[in-house]
Amino acid sequence: MYSIGELSRRTGVKVPTIRYYEQMGLIAAPDRSEGNQRRYERAELERLTFIRHARDLGFPIEAIRELLALSGHPDEPCERADHIAREQLVEVREKIARLQKLEHELDRIVAHCGNHTVGDCYVIRALSDHGLCDNEH
């Protein structure tokens, strides 16, 4: 049995986040000790580790909920899990493309920098006038 603090230390998930996952139904509300302390089993530790890893990979809560449900049926085909992972990969690639556009634009803006006064600062002007940007970002 683990206290919420021990569960947090072992998984790297903050206590308020653990409580949030309980409220969202991703992990079951634990039994409580006589002192009203939450007491978690090994299964919750493993489930929370799964959730943490999925969140680190950027999966949204609903996808994690579905993956957790799928994990409860080990003899079923894994096509749906594969599909969820492929959707996440597409999302990550789209985010990378957006971030690369932002990187390019920031690099371009910074390249205009010099030892000017704030009144002549290209960064301030570019942030004030979206028309000075090279592309939509």
Side-chain angles (χ1 to χ4, degrees):
M1 300 289 282
Y2 306 98
S3 68
I4 196 167
E6 180 66 16
L7 192 67
S8 175
R9 280 187 293 283
R10 288 180 178 256
T11 61
V13 177
K14 295 182 183 205
V15 169
T17 305
I18 294 171
R19 290 182 183 131
Y20 171 74
Y21 290 157
E22 284 177 23
Q23 290 171 349
M24 295 298 295
L26 294 177
I27 59 174
D31 293 331
R32 294 197 177 246
S33 68
E34 287 182 24
N36 203 29
Q37 195 179 45
R38 289 174 164 89
R39 304 303 295 169
Y40 296 88
E41 301 279 342
R42 176 104 184 131
E44 281 79 35
L45 176 84
E46 292 169 0
R47 190 172 179 100
L48 190 55
T49 300
F50 178 98
I51 295 166
R52 167 75 193 270
H53 192 195
R55 292 297 288 158
D56 287 347
L57 291 171
F59 283 94
I61 294 292
E62 285 310 312
I64 294 170
R65 184 184 313 281
E66 190 170 354
L67 289 166
L68 286 167
L70 290 169
S71 71
H73 304 281
D75 295 329
E76 294 292 321
C78 69
E79 289 127 26
R80 184 65 189 141
D82 292 343
H83 178 74
I84 293 168
R86 277 193 296 279
E87 284 178 333
Q88 183 59 21
L89 180 58
V90 167
E91 180 64 30
V92 166
R93 287 179 175 155
E94 288 172 356
K95 283 180 186 176
I96 289 170
R98 286 190 305 269
L99 287 170
Q100 286 173 330
K101 283 182 179 180
L102 290 175
E103 177 188 32
H104 170 76
E105 189 59 32
L106 286 168
D107 190 42
R108 192 188 67 75
I109 289 171
V110 169
H112 282 79
C113 289
N115 292 328
H116 306 292
T117 63
V118 171
D120 295 326
C121 180
Y122 189 78
V123 171
I124 301 296
R125 284 196 340 247
L127 293 174
S128 299
D129 182 359
H130 193 59
L132 294 175
C133 292
D134 255 0
N135 57 45
E136 194 60 36
H137 48 83

